[in-house]
Amino acid sequence: MLLAIDIGEWDTDCDGQLTQTDRTLEIGRMPTHGLADIPVHERASRTVSRGKVEDGEMTCSSKEQALPRRSCRLRAQGFFYPLTEALNAEL
């Protein structure tokens, strides 16, 4: 499972976009028997940059947008934690 990933592309001047995703894990309460659940929290943002030539000079502007936060819970099955489809999927 990826905990942090940056995916994007830019031209050599200014135009481009970047999506940044960070995940945090915490240890849940210990159950009476077995392994604790692991809550996973995901935070992501997308930045889009555009360039514009004015009076022979390139000006670059960027706009960052927070994407919806997501959370899930990993539950132990025996001695391992299977990843949910959402966490296993490509970002």
Side-chain angles (χ1 to χ4, degrees):
M1 171 176 51
L2 296 171
L3 294 179
I5 187 168
D6 297 342
I7 299 173
E9 60 181 276
W10 256 263
D11 65 7
T12 57
D13 293 318
C14 178
D15 290 351
Q17 63 181 1
L18 174 69
T19 301
Q20 296 177 295
T21 303
D22 294 302
R23 292 178 176 149
T24 57
L25 307 177
E26 39 181 282
I27 301 299
R29 288 191 195 166
M30 196 62 147
T32 307
H33 303 288
L35 300 171
D37 289 348
I38 301 177
V40 180
H41 306 284
E42 182 178 279
R43 182 181 52 175
S45 66
R46 178 173 292 128
T47 303
V48 177
S49 296
R50 295 286 175 243
K52 186 164 69 169
V53 177
E54 291 180 5
D55 299 327
E57 288 190 35
M58 173 68 84
T59 58
C60 190
S61 63
S62 297
K63 182 179 179 183
E64 184 174 345
Q65 171 191 10
L67 299 176
R69 290 180 180 227
R70 298 188 319 172
S71 294
C72 68
R73 183 173 299 272
L74 299 178
R75 298 188 192 284
Q77 290 185 3
F79 292 105
F80 67 97
Y81 291 87
L83 296 181
T84 65
E85 268 189 46
L87 293 176
N88 228 0
E90 196 172 309
L91 298 171

